[in-house]
């Protein structure tokens, strides 16, 4: 019996001093496991006389329960200590001072582009890109603007030295094969997209454009966004629905009046210019219902010749396209009065009109700002 008391003390002590869960498990196996010391003694009870067996059995059971309880107690203590250690390791010092507010600002052009991409993205458009340095074919010829077409003059094109190294001849632009130029609009991205992929197509192409012009309302570099949809059943109704929806979402005015006015572009037929409603009472421009109109974009059904020049069967496919100036709609939405300030890199201007970089482009905030 004395032996049994020693046995009990030994295992309870071993439990209480096990320093890890794994060590404690070893103690449990050593005492109470299948081949454990206490289990073995219990198995040996069968060889005893009935009286002895009853007494020793009761004693061993009591020891087994005490050791099991000691193991459980130690286990709880070790688990708690592990959690405490983890909490201490993962502690965050909430008294640390916050980081100063980000200094930089997103340029209103970037913000406006993000908003445009967001709206058309939700309508299922993908963003496409093309080079700033274009060739004559993609910027003009494929858009149904052949050499000597008067539209070439209207575009005030910047020509680069031709592929041959000879300067292009500005008096008859495009005459030299391989002439390089800075794209005058984003429409060449339409051409590149149609050449590279098969309909159905639904893309927008935001990017830089260049024209040799500089005054209050023109800068030599500015931004446009082009849109193109080509499918078998695309019609003018789709164009109108899509652009009305865009104007209302962009300006955040659900009942914004939108008007389509007949116009001309060589690459679309029919063509239209889109006006939005506004009022100009007391010299203050306000977008929304009013008795005046503001032109904001050009659009039309892609000219069959343009489709054919890109290898698309115009008897089977139709498309619509649109293009707009990003500075112009940014100025209207955010009340920026002078186009030239966009490119002066004046930090005070950027702090005033810029957007916090960590803010996601968001139409609601954009509209309320
Ligand atoms: N590319 C035209 C421009 O720069 C805009 C436009 C694009 C018009 C697509 C119609 C269709 O003026």
């Amino acid at each position: 019996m004395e032996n049994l008391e020693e046995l009990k003390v030994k295992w309870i002590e071993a439990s209480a001093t096990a320093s890890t869960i794994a060590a404690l498990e070893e103690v449990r196996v050593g005492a109470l496991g299948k081949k454990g010391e206490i289990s073995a003694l219990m198995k040996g009870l069968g060889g005893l006389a009935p009286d002895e067996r009853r007494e020793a059995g009761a004693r061993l059971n009591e020891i087994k329960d005490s050791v099991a309880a000691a193991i459980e107690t130690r286990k709880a203590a070790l688990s708690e200590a592990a959690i405490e250690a983890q909490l201490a390791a993962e502690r965050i010092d909430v008294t640390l001072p916050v980081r100063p507010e980000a200094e930089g600002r997103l340029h209103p052009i970037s913000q406006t582009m993000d908003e445009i991409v967001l709206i058309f993205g939700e309508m299922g458009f993908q963003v496409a890109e093309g080079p700033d340095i274009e060739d004559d074919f993609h910027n003009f010829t494929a858009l149904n603007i052949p050499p000597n077409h008067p539209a070439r003059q209207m575009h005030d094109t910047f020509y680069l030295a031709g592929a041959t190294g000879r300067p292009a001849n500005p008096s008859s632009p495009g005459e030299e094969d391989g002439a390089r130029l800075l794209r005058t609009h984003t429409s060449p991205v339409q051409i590149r997209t149609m050449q590279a992929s098969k309909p159905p197509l639904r893309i927008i192409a935001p990017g830089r454009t260049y024209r040799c012009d500089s005054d209050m309302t023109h800068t030599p570099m500015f931004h446009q966004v082009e849109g193109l949809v080509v499918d078998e059943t695309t019609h003018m109704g789709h164009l109108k629905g899509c652009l009305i929806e865009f104007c209302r979402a962009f300006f955040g005015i659900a009942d914004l009046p939108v008007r389509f006015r007949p116009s001309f572009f060589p690459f679309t037929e029919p063509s239209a210019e889109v006006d939005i409603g506004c009022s100009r009472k007391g010299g203050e421009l306000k977008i929304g219902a009013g008795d005046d109109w503001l032109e904001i974009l050009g659009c039309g059904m892609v000219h069959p010749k343009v489709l054919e020049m890109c290898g698309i069967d115009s008897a089977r496919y139709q498309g619509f396209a649109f293009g707009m100036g990003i500075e112009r709609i940014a100025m209207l939405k955010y009340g920026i009065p002078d186009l030239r300030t966009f490119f002066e890199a004046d930090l005070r201007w950027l702090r005033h009109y810029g957007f916090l970089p960590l803010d996601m482009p968001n139409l609601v905030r954009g509209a309320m700002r």
Side-chain angles (χ1 to χ4, degrees), residues 143 155 184-188 190 209 211 222 224-227 265 267-268 271-272 297-300 320-324:
L143 286 157
H155 276 219
T184 56
H185 48 178
T186 39
S187 302
Q190 282 189 39
T209 47
R211 293 187 195 178
F222 58 104
Q224 282 192 344
V225 59
E226 189 84 6
F265 300 101
F267 34 91
T268 47
S271 304
L297 63 93
C299 60
F320 70 80
F322 54 88
M324 66 189 116

Side-chain angles (χ1 to χ4, degrees), residues 294-313:
L294 249 178
E295 180 200 321
I296 63 158
L297 63 93
C299 60
M301 301 304 295
V302 180
H303 198 295
K305 277 191 184 170
V306 175
L307 293 173
E308 294 294 340
M309 255 178 292
C310 299
I312 293 179
D313 179 0

Side-chain angles (χ1 to χ4, degrees), residues 34 41 48 55 108 142 152-153 161 166 170-171 177-178 194 214 225 257 275 310 330 367-368:
K34 261 194 199 148
L41 284 172
L48 297 180
E55 197 188 328
R152 293 199 180 201
Q153 252 70 46
R166 282 183 290 130
S171 60
D177 221 11
M194 288 192 279
S214 182
V225 59
D275 299 338
C310 299
M368 291 196 320

Side-chain angles (χ1 to χ4, degrees), residues 110-145:
S110 308
Q111 169 78 17
T112 306
M113 276 195 191
D114 288 350
E115 291 173 14
I116 295 170
V117 168
L118 192 81
I119 298 172
F120 285 111
E122 280 178 0
M123 294 187 204
F125 284 74
Q126 286 182 319
V127 173
E129 283 180 321
D132 288 19
I133 298 177
E134 266 298 358
D135 53 39
D136 189 86
F137 177 78
H138 291 90
N139 197 78
F140 292 125
T141 308
L143 286 157
N144 197 28
I145 314 176

Side-chain angles (χ1 to χ4, degrees), residues 25-355:
E25 177 61 10
E26 270 175 39
V27 172
R28 189 193 65 78
V29 171
L32 308 174
K34 261 194 199 148
K35 292 180 185 156
E37 197 175 357
I38 297 174
S39 311
L41 284 172
M42 289 182 106
K43 271 184 207 145
L45 287 175
L48 297 180
D51 274 1
E52 278 178 322
R53 192 194 305 156
R54 199 173 310 119
E55 197 188 328
R59 184 85 180 100
L60 276 173
N61 262 333
E62 185 258 322
I63 292 172
K64 186 184 128 196
D65 290 347
S66 309
V67 171
I71 290 173
E72 275 315 305
T73 309
R74 184 64 185 155
K75 199 178 203 172
L78 286 173
S79 309
E80 196 170 319
I83 290 172
E84 291 292 335
Q86 191 182 359
L87 285 177
E90 291 173 4
R91 184 166 160 270
I92 295 169
D93 185 356
V94 292
T95 64
L96 276 177
V98 289
R99 288 199 194 99
E101 191 181 281
E103 272 287 309
R105 289 286 185 278
L106 267 190
H107 196 282
I109 292 294
S110 308
Q111 169 78 17
T112 306
M113 276 195 191
D114 288 350
E115 291 173 14
I116 295 170
V117 168
L118 192 81
I119 298 172
F120 285 111
E122 280 178 0
M123 294 187 204
F125 284 74
Q126 286 182 319
V127 173
E129 283 180 321
D132 288 19
I133 298 177
E134 266 298 358
D135 53 39
D136 189 86
F137 177 78
H138 291 90
N139 197 78
F140 292 125
T141 308
L143 286 157
N144 197 28
I145 314 176
N148 301 318
H149 191 284
R152 293 199 180 201
Q153 252 70 46
M154 279 160 45
H155 276 219
D156 302 311
T157 312
F158 284 115
Y159 283 93
L160 281 69
T164 56
R166 282 183 290 130
N169 179 1
S171 60
S172 67
E175 173 203 80
E176 183 187 331
D177 221 11
R180 300 273 146 175
L181 48 90
L182 293 177
R183 65 178 178 192
T184 56
H185 48 178
T186 39
S187 302
V189 185
Q190 282 189 39
I191 301 301
R192 290 185 180 277
T193 304
M194 288 192 279
Q195 286 175 326
S197 10
K198 290 198 170 14
L201 301 170
R202 203 179 288 151
I203 57 122
I204 54 164
R208 291 194 183 93
T209 47
Y210 307 83
R211 293 187 195 178
C212 186
D213 203 352
S214 182
D215 60 32
M216 267 282 279
T217 52
H218 298 89
T219 50
M221 189 280 292
F222 58 104
H223 298 79
Q224 282 192 344
V225 59
E226 189 84 6
L228 173 72
V229 173
V230 180
D231 206 343
E232 292 188 29
T233 55
T234 308
H235 56 68
M236 191 91 185
H238 295 134
L239 171 150
K240 289 182 72 178
C242 171
L243 292 177
I244 292 172
E245 174 75 22
F246 167 76
C247 293
R248 293 183 173 163
F250 179 78
F251 288 103
I253 302 174
D255 59 353
L256 178 68
V258 180
R259 156 176 107 167
F260 290 75
R261 199 165 25 78
S263 183
F264 174 81
F265 300 101
F267 34 91
T268 47
E269 182 58 37
S271 304
E273 264 161 341
V274 177
D275 299 338
I276 54 171
C278 68
S279 67
R280 290 190 169 91
K281 283 201 187 77
E284 198 201 337
L285 176 70
K286 201 164 163 280
I287 293 171
D291 45 20
D292 226 334
W293 296 97
L294 249 178
E295 180 200 321
I296 63 158
L297 63 93
C299 60
M301 301 304 295
V302 180
H303 198 295
K305 277 191 184 170
V306 175
L307 293 173
E308 294 294 340
M309 255 178 292
C310 299
I312 293 179
D313 179 0
S314 65
R316 182 166 168 207
Y317 290 103
Q318 306 192 76
F320 70 80
F322 54 88
M324 66 189 116
I326 296 179
E327 282 79 0
R328 179 162 171 78
I329 60 169
M331 286 166 83
L332 292 172
K333 180 165 177 176
Y334 296 116
I336 303 172
D338 187 337
L339 174 67
R340 290 168 296 191
T341 56
F342 277 93
F343 309 113
E344 281 170 354
D346 182 335
L347 285 179
R348 291 164 308 172
W349 183 89
L350 200 54
R351 230 166 268 138
H352 182 75
Y353 288 111
F355 293 80

